[in-house]
Amino acid sequence: MGELFVTHLDRERGLWKEQDLLFREAMGASLQWTTLLAALLALMLSVYFARLLSRPLVDMAKAVKEVELGNLARRLPSYSIKEMEELSGSFNSLAAHLQKLESLRKRSTADFSHELRTPLTTLRSYLEAFTDGVLLADKENLKILHEEVMHLSRLVSDLEELSQAECNLLKDQRSDCRQLNISRFLKEKVAFFQPQFQGKDLQLELVLPHQELNARLDPLALGKIIGNLLYNAYKYTPPQGKVTVSLDGDAHGPQERVDQDMFLIEVRDNGIGINGEDLPYIFERFFRADPSRDRSSGGAGIGLALVKELVHACGGDIQVQSELGKGTTFYLYLPKT
Ligand code: ADP
């Protein structure tokens, strides 16, 4: 036999006891609070991260606008997020590059007008003196005038050549390319420059590989490239210095890159060298590392701009390594075919 309890069931409470109900209520309330707190925290975090991400982007958009309007001195601060930091670094170096190019453009206009004004002033004053009878138009004075006229016509033909090369006209003249014995070509070039180098007490050396190297190139363009590089080495190397031209059938230069289709010509000098800050700009038109240099020690800053254009027209590439006071090396990569 057993016992049977009959109890009255409350619709609301069911079989729950008093403390169970209290526990259920407490659990419900705490769950509500936790959910609320979590939602609040999630909202705060998303606002924080959205700000963290959007602030640099807003900064960058503003900075780009400012640069677009001509404020090339605008720079961005560094950011804690790696990707943003990289982006702001790239922006800053781009702005710095643009700023340098802009100042170079302004400086080159001034340099160029100076380059034109100097011979024109000499010509004018000599001609006035001849007309007034103050100076005799003798052989010596006419020779000075002739030198100034030659300087002007050299400048004009340099500019003409450069603009022609920049318009890629030379690229279309592929028909001028022919099979060249590069070893022999360099021997002839070095022999041509030898007396000039000896006159300044400079050693000019040529290092050739055992096997002769042939390539299909435009001899006129190659002659101008080598001529300009050698002339620069001559100008920027003090007496008793050394200049070496070397030829290598495998193109490996400062970046140790090896390209089977290219060969390498190196022009190395132990002259005055180029400042690291100036190095990225030496192939720009009218750029001169030391603007105070006069016409006797430097040119108008066109030579390397022309070299770069000619090298590209030949399907090649040019790189430079230099250290101030130690010397400069130009690496010239050219296609074999
Ligand atoms: P420039 O007619 O003034 O020589 P380039 O275009 O040939 O013009 O060269 C640009 C600048 O690069 C030069 O003014 C010089 O400052 C620097 N440069 C070029 N070659 C050398 C070199 N071998 N050694 C030192 N500086 C050089």
Side-chain angles (χ1 to χ4, degrees), residues 38-192:
L40 210 69
L41 199 72
L43 190 75
M44 274 160 56
L45 277 176
S46 55
V47 168
Y48 170 75
F49 281 117
R51 282 238 175 117
L52 199 73
L53 283 173
S54 72
R55 200 181 308 135
L57 290 176
V58 172
D59 279 0
M60 278 176 205
K62 272 193 204 154
V64 169
K65 199 89 207 144
E66 276 184 50
V67 168
E68 200 184 319
L69 292 174
N71 178 11
L72 299 179
R74 180 71 158 90
R75 298 290 179 273
L76 284 168
S78 52
Y79 296 106
S80 49
I81 302 170
K82 192 174 150 247
E83 285 77 11
M84 295 295 173
E85 176 61 23
E86 278 173 14
L87 209 59
S88 83
S90 308
F91 172 86
N92 288 345
S93 53
L94 184 72
H97 190 66
L98 284 176
Q99 197 177 18
K100 179 87 187 181
L101 285 181
E102 179 60 11
S103 75
L104 198 64
R105 189 186 63 77
K106 286 185 184 149
R107 205 174 85 183
S108 68
T109 314
D111 280 357
F112 186 55
S113 50
H114 172 78
E115 210 60 40
L116 284 177
R117 200 182 324 109
T118 317
L120 284 175
T121 312
T122 317
L123 284 174
R124 201 188 63 197
S125 43
Y126 268 77
L127 289 174
E128 279 172 3
F130 291 159
T131 322
D132 296 344
V134 185
L135 208 65
L136 264 184
D138 57 13
K139 204 173 167 187
E140 209 168 297
N141 286 331
L142 286 175
K143 196 170 160 235
I144 296 174
L145 291 192
H146 183 252
E147 268 168 23
E148 294 300 338
V149 172
M150 286 310 291
H151 176 77
L152 277 178
S153 57
R154 252 198 320 271
L155 190 66
V156 172
S157 68
D158 275 0
L159 280 173
E160 244 170 24
E161 249 179 88
L162 180 61
S163 74
Q164 205 183 18
E166 281 180 339
C167 290
N168 269 344
L169 286 181
L170 290 161
K171 209 173 204 160
D172 298 331
Q173 295 169 1
R174 274 295 195 174
S175 52
D176 290 338
C177 288
R178 54 187 165 84
Q179 201 64 17
L180 279 184
N181 181 326
I182 306 294
S183 313
R184 199 183 316 142
F185 190 90
L186 288 179
K187 261 188 216 163
E188 284 168 11
K189 267 281 155 204
V190 166
F192 176 80

Side-chain angles (χ1 to χ4, degrees), residues 158 228-237 267-269 271-275 278 281-291 293 297-307 320 322 327-330:
D158 275 0
N228 266 298
L229 294 180
L230 276 178
Y231 186 47
N232 275 352
Y234 165 82
K235 277 190 292 187
Y236 304 116
T237 308
V267 180
R268 181 185 299 270
D269 67 58
I272 60 170
I274 305 165
N275 203 325
D278 291 327
Y281 305 100
I282 59 165
F283 294 103
E284 298 296 332
R285 266 188 279 182
F286 303 117
F287 182 82
R288 292 190 287 197
D290 177 6
R293 262 200 328 263
S297 58
I302 301 174
L304 286 182
L306 180 64
V307 164
V320 60
S322 187
T328 307
T329 308
F330 285 93

Side-chain angles (χ1 to χ4, degrees), residues 189-205 226-245 267-270:
K189 267 281 155 204
V190 166
F192 176 80
F193 272 92
Q194 205 59 265
Q196 193 178 350
F197 275 65
Q198 276 166 5
K200 196 181 167 181
D201 194 14
L202 287 175
Q203 195 184 332
L204 176 59
E205 194 183 78
I226 304 294
N228 266 298
L229 294 180
L230 276 178
Y231 186 47
N232 275 352
Y234 165 82
K235 277 190 292 187
Y236 304 116
T237 308
Q240 281 152 32
K242 185 177 173 183
V243 177
T244 311
V245 179
V267 180
R268 181 185 299 270
D269 67 58
N270 60 359

